[in-house]
Amino acid sequence: MPAAALSPEVLAKYEPVIGLEVHVQLLTATKAFCGCANRFGSAPNTNVCPVCLGLPGALPVLNAKAVEFATLASLALNCQVRERSIFARKNYFYPDLPKGYQISQFDKPIAEHGWIDVPTADGSTKRIGITRLHMEEDAGKSIHDGFADSATRTYLDLNRCGTPLAEIVSEPDIRTPDEAFEYLTRMKEILLYTQVSDCNMEEGSLRCDANVSVRPRGQKEFGVKVEVKNVNSFRFVRLALEYEIERQIEVIEGGAKISQETRLWDAGEGRTYSMRSKEQAHDYRYFPEPDLLIVSAEFLAEAKKQLPELPEARRARMISEYDLSPKDAQTLTASREFADRFEAAAKSAKNPRRVANLLLSEVAGRLNALGLEQDQSPVSMAGIVQAADLLDEGKISSKQLKQLFDIAFEKSEDFGVVYEREKPEQITDASALEKLIDEVVAASPKQVEQYRAGKKTMAGFFVGQVMKASKGQANPALLNELVVKKLEG
Ligand SMILES: [Zn+2]
């Protein structure tokens, strides 16, 4: 039922209301409540023990690292961390949950009342509330295909049982699929900066469910919400929401009612379809997990120490420190690791802004043209620093620098290697340069007049002309000096 038939006027009558639930696997060495390895990709059912298999009598022991990571994520997402939080057993049966209950948090989650600011279409920002961040354990995996007898059997891999998760629940503050996309993008970026998760969606380290409803604009009460599950990329979240919003409006416009249900996103068909009705709410019969308590004071101090400079703050600082545009700052802070490498390099150069400039123009431009990623660049950060310093010292001209970069990318060699071999010729002979300057000055009486009338920036015109005449080989520092001397004389 693609809803392409709806006119913009009909769509505009309704307001979507979206809330997101994100599950993030925490990157601890061991699981949440036992000593088993927390690792993706091991042979099935090898990282298991009586605790995570839920054998009778086994007792969970809380992994302090998981609490530390959850606390760090909570702070980074502007949440208030509860002084004491407890765990609860969430009872339900599923084949990949051998205990028959999941250890989660219920009415006393570790953190609440956070927010993320997202950019909006009109260039401002909008604050999306975070209701809560709570800790829980992951379940195992049911494997429905890939075996010779998959038609008749389902296999279980319980390695994932007990993997520590942070579940991050947003307020129903999101109004458009684009806002949902931005919220998720910012959240992932923040979590990556804190290094509490690898946020790898292909491996299931970050998973997203969306709750979406529509209501006539101006109406206060929410419409009936539908949960969309099984969406494994942010792009698909946006598409699934776009589809689902139009579907719901079409149902309502047709005089029918939205039924509360869980729907799955089918990326191949580009649509959602009903998985199960949610008419009867699950009764999970939460009750306190007796042995597990978090006293946050001890974790808070440590988490505050570890809290890195977060992406938004870092961009603001770098914009002023390196004289960047917001777009360039975004590029340089795409990952914490890259931003760290850039800043370490820039600080070692004579002119840090020059390093940013070369990276964003000369290097990025060539990478773009070749369709390469930043980490595939033949020119290292050290190479860029060397190029920036040579330029600043006047040992190469900007034209020579471009030529050296061309060779580096053509031959896939680092800048230093190319420079050592090519060592571009430089005209450092003052009399040779003076001869070129005389020629340019003689040919440009108007510009000379302007300079002498006080327009000192005209010096740049003469430097450029002589540089061109020297085929880029004039020593820039010497050339500058001689040009000024000539014009002033
Ligand atoms: Zn275990």
Side-chain angles (χ1 to χ4, degrees):
M1 186 167 48
L6 292 176
S7 70
E9 291 74 32
V10 171
L11 290 174
K13 280 174 19 192
Y14 293 89
E15 178 181 56
V17 175
I18 301 163
L20 298 173
E21 290 173 16
V22 173
H23 284 90
V24 188
Q25 287 183 346
L26 300 173
L27 207 53
T28 52
T30 56
K31 293 185 182 181
F33 306 113
C34 63
C36 293
N38 172 22
R39 196 180 301 135
F40 180 85
S42 298
N45 301 305
T46 51
N47 298 329
V48 290
C49 74
V51 174
C52 54
L53 289 175
L55 299 186
L59 287 177
V61 177
L62 182 57
N63 181 344
K65 201 73 193 170
V67 180
E68 196 182 300
F69 282 176
T71 308
L72 190 54
S74 301
L75 291 180
L77 296 169
N78 305 297
C79 292
Q80 292 164 23
V81 177
R82 189 183 291 277
E83 275 179 35
R84 278 164 171 260
S85 52
I86 59 167
F87 284 86
R89 294 185 178 185
K90 181 181 180 180
N91 295 280
Y92 66 97
F93 172 76
Y94 207 74
D96 58 23
L97 185 74
K99 280 206 293 284
Y101 62 86
Q102 178 190 26
I103 302 179
S104 182
Q105 295 192 299
F106 183 47
D107 56 348
K108 291 188 174 56
I110 187 166
E112 293 167 294
H113 312 305
W115 45 265
I116 295 177
D117 282 337
V118 301
T120 57
D122 65 6
S124 59
T125 56
K126 175 175 171 179
R127 183 156 292 184
I128 308 293
I130 291 172
T131 313
R132 56 192 268 141
L133 181 153
H134 71 248
M135 297 182 67
E136 60 184 29
E137 60 177 339
D138 214 339
K141 258 189 239 177
S142 300
I143 304 166
H144 301 290
D145 44 36
F147 292 93
D149 53 357
S150 282
T152 52
R153 282 168 198 249
T154 289
Y155 286 80
L156 289 174
D157 177 3
L158 300 177
N159 279 346
R160 201 173 69 177
C161 279
T163 294
L165 294 173
E167 179 175 338
I168 302 158
V169 182
S170 86
E171 291 287 318
D173 287 346
I174 300 166
R175 291 291 172 270
T176 67
D178 281 339
E179 280 177 19
F181 181 86
E182 288 295 341
Y183 170 84
L184 291 169
T185 304
R186 301 281 149 165
M187 175 183 292
K188 180 179 169 187
E189 187 183 52
I190 291 167
L191 292 171
L192 285 174
Y193 263 62
T194 59
Q195 296 173 334
V196 301
S197 174
D198 62 19
C199 296
N200 185 331
M201 292 188 84
E202 285 89 54
E203 295 180 358
S205 313
L206 190 154
R207 312 195 285 270
C208 177
D209 302 329
N211 289 301
V212 54
S213 63
V214 299
R215 62 182 171 190
R217 285 191 189 277
Q219 178 182 305
K220 262 200 138 155
E221 300 80 44
F222 292 140
V224 176
K225 75 177 174 187
V226 164
E227 185 180 27
V228 185
K229 280 184 174 289
N230 199 25
V231 201
N232 60 8
S233 82
F234 295 168
R235 199 168 60 83
F236 286 156
V237 171
R238 182 156 59 187
L239 289 173
L241 287 169
E242 280 167 3
Y243 176 87
E244 189 56 26
I245 288 163
E246 294 200 12
R247 186 192 70 83
Q248 292 185 16
I249 293 173
E250 196 170 9
V251 169
I252 296 168
E253 285 285 310
K257 284 201 159 86
I258 301 294
S259 44
Q260 189 175 342
E261 61 183 349
T262 299
R263 298 177 72 90
L264 291 181
W265 167 248
D266 185 317
E269 293 182 42
R271 61 182 292 256
T272 64
Y273 59 93
S274 185
M275 181 172 90
R276 61 167 180 256
S277 162
K278 263 202 166 178
E279 289 296 344
Q280 303 123 310
H282 285 284
D283 184 358
Y284 290 118
R285 292 184 178 275
Y286 282 98
F287 57 82
E289 171 66 52
D291 296 326
L292 301 174
L293 167 80
I294 300 172
V295 181
S296 287
E298 51 195 286
F299 295 100
L300 262 175
E302 185 56 32
K304 277 179 184 160
K305 255 192 281 171
Q306 284 184 28
L307 192 66
E309 184 180 33
L310 294 169
E312 213 50 60
R314 185 165 200 173
R315 277 192 280 276
R317 175 178 61 74
M318 284 172 59
I319 283 171
S320 71
E321 208 165 307
Y322 304 100
D323 204 14
L324 301 172
S325 70
K327 188 171 162 283
D328 287 345
Q330 185 75 46
T331 307
L332 290 179
T333 55
S335 78
R336 178 179 168 185
E337 187 270 332
F338 182 67
D340 285 349
R341 277 202 298 128
F342 159 71
E343 289 214 89
K347 288 197 164 85
S348 73
K350 292 194 169 58
N351 180 350
R353 287 183 186 192
R354 174 93 70 195
V355 177
N357 198 278
L358 290 182
L359 182 59
L360 291 162
S361 58
E362 300 299 336
V363 175
R366 285 172 175 79
L367 288 173
N368 254 341
L370 294 169
L372 296 177
E373 294 296 320
Q374 194 62 250
D375 59 4
Q376 297 171 298
S377 173
V379 177
S380 65
M381 284 289 183
I384 297 171
V385 169
Q386 186 184 2
D389 284 350
L390 286 167
L391 202 59
D392 272 313
E393 290 159 4
K395 290 188 177 148
I396 55 173
S397 67
S398 51
K399 184 168 181 195
Q400 288 170 332
L401 176 127
K402 282 176 199 291
Q403 290 165 343
L404 293 171
F405 271 130
D406 281 342
I407 297 169
F409 274 81
E410 214 176 275
K411 302 200 165 170
S412 203
E413 293 173 331
D414 203 351
F415 179 85
V417 177
V418 177
Y419 176 73
E420 282 308 315
R421 188 181 59 231
E422 307 282 330
K423 277 274 167 69
E425 292 267 326
Q426 275 220 327
I427 304 174
T428 50
D429 172 6
S431 63
L433 286 180
E434 275 163 350
K435 198 168 151 264
L436 290 172
I437 294 169
D438 285 344
E439 283 165 21
V440 172
V441 164
S444 323
K446 243 197 210 144
Q447 286 83 351
V448 174
E449 208 174 290
Q450 287 175 354
Y451 180 90
R452 294 194 172 141
K455 198 175 172 194
K456 300 293 180 198
T457 51
M458 276 319 279
F461 164 80
F462 291 97
V463 170
Q465 292 296 308
V466 177
M467 190 55 95
K468 212 167 143 192
S470 76
K471 299 188 172 61
Q473 293 183 348
N475 176 295
L478 182 61
L479 174 60
N480 268 310
E481 186 193 317
L482 294 175
V483 160
V484 171
K485 206 166 109 189
K486 173 77 185 173
L487 291 170
E488 296 289 337

